[in-house]
Amino acid sequence: MNTLTLQANNPNDILVAAHLLRAGEVLAMPTETVYGLAADALNPAAVAKIFAAKGRPQDNPLIVHIADAKQALSLVREFPVEAKHLAAAFWPGPLTIILPKHPAVPDVTTAGLNSIALRVPNHPAALALLQTSELPLAAPSANRSGSPSPTTAQHVRDDLKGRIAAIVDGGTCCLGVESTVLDLTGGTPLLLRPGGVTKEQIEQVLGRSINVSPAVTQPLGEHEQPASPGLKHRHYAPKAQLTLVQGSLRAFVAFAKREKPDGLLVFNSDVEALRKAGLPQQILSYGSNANEHAQQLFAALRELDNRRLHTVFVRPPSQHGIGLAVYNRLLRAADFCEVKPNFVLGLCGPTGAGKSTAANILNAMGCLVIDCDDLAREIMQPGSAVLHELAAQFGREIVREDGSLNRGELAARAFANEDGRRALNAITHKAITALTLAHARAAQGRVVVVDAAALLESEIAQHCDHIAVITAPHDVRRARILARDNMTADAADQRMAAQTNMDFSGHTTIENTQDEAELVAKLRELLAKILPLDYAIS
Ligand code: TXA
Ligand code: MG
């Protein structure tokens, strides 16, 4: 099908468009929120074309656009007084009201529901089309189902060229997110979708509080039925995997440096700081205040795909006013993937320097300590995957009858030659790394301390925000090892000499003298220097 481009401000083009609508065709029209894909709401064949062009699930009802509140009367069974107040206050405008449907409205328009969604759009071209055609116009957003709503004629063209009769080009939509959807068919009004008209504005007009569907900010449970069918379908989704990152810009920067997504979607005011921080990612921004975020969000989501980004970290807006609508769209675009970043401090150092003492102090300050020695034991519990792997490598004799590890036997076999040592390390380090990272990831919003002697040789180092090396004078370490591990002086010397990889350059070193209060002070000072404000330390 050839898709005509018509101009919104050309009266002749509006006549052509109205004629197409009366002939049962489907076309895209600008509204103040997003572009809509319009057809005669009372003509089932025309409405069916909308579903076909969008690839929209049949169970998702459409919004019916009308020229004024009067036109609603023939489409509903009743128009309650609260609807009248809301219409007077917000129509034309971005508020969709759900009311009991009149039998004259075909089932296909409302997806078989007994209710109908109505709104008067606040856009001269949409109003001109409604008045000229004298039809109620069913119009969902003019995107292919599942992708971000279109806010320019080009977005519509990208999605629907060749599938619809015409596009009425009215430039960029001024609001940018879809209308607020409010259900008035029950007792207390229920906000199904946040949009340009805020909850607070509605409550002020009604003089009472309204309910907000939990689906606005939470994913639906597996067997839950949504109040609005549209809520169950994946929406606004770019191909990129989005992660909404809560917290300060500084925490965001640290998190992005560590996790290395391909792209960052941030506020205008963040861009300079991000560039200064030397982040290598592609940076996109979506405005500098709530209205701009709304206006620019969908174009930005589309741009992520134009740039073929796979993983993108996003700074979400505040949830006040129209911010709630933006946040709601972002949550859906991200498939509800939202994190509070943790801050990972790696702790290493030579044997006897007091790593564990430092870890205990940090634990008392509220950090979550992951002790890799503990994990090394944990991964070799009876029946574990690691034990199986080790048995396959070194023989079944390394496992006792009761399923536990025979450490002596494993040591004898693994340390017999360099290959054995390497194989043992490969198996255990991989498992310890995976477990460490899983524990760390689960500790959202916390300061995580990873206590690992071999940290710098491990992949874990790449997942640390900061690494601190605990050191101590040689004699102090020797004395500590002797006291702690109950070994001979020779054995202690041997153990100290065995640690060859002592190049800690480039990392913070903390000298641990004998004085614990001093160590506490040094650790506190370190945290104050490296932690973004988001993290609470006692
Ligand atoms: O701003 C807007 O509302 C744009 C412009 C074009 O007007 N339209 C729009 O339509 O966003 P659409 O189809 O993308 O979203 C309509 C939403 C869907 O979530 C749908 O499930 C819900 O409204 N809806 C429609 N009729 C309903 C009904 N009778 N009961 C509950 N939800 C309904
Ligand atoms: Mg839509």
Side-chain angles (χ1 to χ4, degrees):
M1 177 189 295
N2 182 30
T3 302
L4 276 178
T5 296
L6 301 169
Q7 295 306 323
N9 53 9
N10 181 336
N12 252 335
D13 280 8
I14 293 294
L15 283 178
V16 173
H19 180 77
L20 286 170
L21 290 167
R22 292 206 63 92
E25 287 302 333
V26 172
L27 54 79
M29 66 174 182
T31 82
E32 80 281 29
T33 58
V34 302
Y35 275 74
L37 191 57
D40 177 356
L42 301 178
N43 176 345
V47 172
K49 288 184 192 171
I50 296 179
F51 283 90
K54 273 187 69 112
R56 182 175 177 105
Q58 297 288 339
D59 63 355
N60 196 0
L62 308 178
I63 293 175
V64 175
H65 297 68
I66 48 181
D68 50 40
K70 243 190 355 257
Q71 200 181 1
L73 301 179
S74 61
L75 302 170
V76 297
R77 269 184 283 122
E78 52 175 323
F79 200 74
V81 63
E82 289 199 317
K84 277 186 199 133
H85 290 317
L86 292 170
F90 301 116
W91 283 356
L95 176 67
T96 295
I97 303 176
I98 298 186
L99 293 167
K101 164 182 111 76
H102 193 282
V105 180
D107 276 346
V108 58
T109 303
T110 60
L113 295 181
N114 268 328
S115 55
I116 182 171
L118 293 173
R119 94 173 182 100
V120 180
N122 188 15
H123 189 287
L127 288 169
L129 277 175
L130 287 161
Q131 283 151 6
T132 312
S133 69
E134 298 182 313
L135 297 171
L137 295 175
S141 51
N143 50 285
R144 289 282 284 177
S145 207
S147 59
S149 296
T151 52
T152 68
Q154 186 57 45
H155 294 162
V156 179
R157 229 168 268 134
D158 291 343
D159 275 18
L160 296 173
K161 188 166 183 231
R163 307 178 68 89
I164 58 177
I167 300 172
V168 179
D169 187 342
T172 302
C173 299
C174 63
L175 214 60
V177 290
E178 307 87 341
S179 61
T180 304
V181 178
L182 184 72
D183 188 347
L184 285 188
T185 61
T188 306
L190 177 64
L191 191 117
L192 296 178
R193 181 176 76 181
V197 173
T198 66
K199 173 175 183 271
E200 296 75 19
Q201 287 174 304
I202 294 170
E203 287 177 331
Q204 193 165 22
V205 168
L206 296 183
R208 63 161 166 162
S209 45
I210 63 171
N211 292 331
V212 177
S213 165
V216 167
T217 52
Q218 286 162 34
L220 282 175
E222 213 173 302
H223 301 293
E224 263 176 278
Q225 272 304 318
S228 175
L231 296 175
K232 79 176 167 217
H233 301 290
R234 184 140 190 244
H235 250 137
Y236 319 113
K239 291 182 191 73
Q241 165 67 55
L242 305 192
T243 302
L244 309 192
V245 181
Q246 290 176 359
S248 69
L249 177 61
R250 201 171 147 204
F252 182 89
V253 169
F255 194 49
K257 270 193 177 160
R258 196 181 82 200
E259 299 297 322
K260 304 181 179 58
D262 308 327
L264 309 173
L265 179 56
V266 300
F267 312 139
N268 286 1
S269 53
D270 300 335
V271 174
E272 204 182 311
L274 291 174
R275 293 211 198 285
K276 272 201 189 131
L279 289 170
Q281 284 92 356
Q282 296 217 30
I283 302 173
L284 280 86
S285 64
Y286 67 117
S288 43
N289 57 50
N291 288 334
E292 288 181 14
H293 297 329
Q295 239 166 41
Q296 297 175 27
L297 176 69
F298 288 138
L301 292 182
R302 282 172 182 264
E303 181 59 18
L304 300 178
D305 283 347
N306 293 341
R307 298 199 191 179
R308 298 181 193 286
L309 300 174
H310 296 293
T311 51
V312 177
F313 281 3
V314 184
R315 292 255 284 146
S318 97
Q319 295 169 40
H320 297 293
I322 197 171
L324 182 63
V326 178
Y327 177 69
N328 163 274
R329 307 306 189 270
L330 273 171
L331 266 181
R332 286 188 155 61
D335 213 4
F336 292 92
C337 178
E338 182 176 39
V339 302
K340 216 168 163 202
N342 57 14
F343 188 95
V344 182
L345 172 62
L347 216 53
C348 59
T351 176
K355 246 176 352 94
S356 307
T357 312
N360 287 339
I361 292 169
L362 290 165
N363 177 55
M365 290 178 182
C367 303
L368 174 85
V369 174
I370 300 175
D371 182 334
C372 288
D373 286 344
D374 288 347
L375 297 191
R377 279 185 286 277
E378 195 180 320
I379 58 164
M380 296 208 243
Q381 289 302 308
S384 66
V386 170
L387 220 50
H388 277 118
E389 241 181 296
L390 291 174
Q393 177 78 32
F394 297 108
R396 294 234 302 277
E397 295 78 1
I398 64 144
V399 182
R400 292 207 184 84
E401 293 260 297
D402 64 1
S404 67
L405 173 69
N406 185 336
R407 283 180 191 276
E409 194 59 42
L410 175 63
R413 291 171 182 230
F415 296 141
N417 56 51
E418 193 46 39
D419 281 353
R421 181 190 296 271
R422 218 175 285 136
L424 173 64
N425 282 344
I427 293 170
T428 54
H429 288 181
K430 194 175 84 195
I432 293 170
T433 300
L435 197 55
T436 302
L437 297 181
H439 281 312
R441 213 171 292 128
Q444 287 210 12
R446 296 195 58 186
V447 180
V448 177
V449 172
V450 178
D451 174 353
L455 183 75
L456 295 179
E457 296 88 75
S458 154
E459 191 200 317
I460 298 169
Q462 294 157 32
H463 297 270
C464 291
D465 292 290
H466 196 91
I467 292 175
V469 185
I470 309 295
T471 64
H474 193 272
D475 290 351
V476 174
R477 289 171 49 210
R478 190 162 182 268
R480 263 204 209 107
I481 297 171
L482 286 175
R484 181 184 69 190
D485 295 346
N486 187 22
M487 50 171 59
T488 64
D490 275 354
D493 286 338
Q494 242 176 39
R495 175 165 335 155
M496 288 168 73
Q499 276 191 318
T500 48
N501 41 351
M502 300 279 272
D503 179 10
F504 300 128
S505 54
H507 302 293
T508 306
T509 55
I510 292 185
E511 167 106 332
N512 177 20
T513 60
Q514 299 287 44
D515 184 348
E516 183 155 333
E518 195 183 313
L519 182 57
V520 170
K522 284 178 178 171
L523 289 169
R524 223 179 257 296
E525 192 187 338
L526 172 70
L527 291 182
K529 200 174 81 191
I530 63 174
L531 285 185
L533 282 175
D534 309 50
Y535 304 94
I537 288 297
S538 57

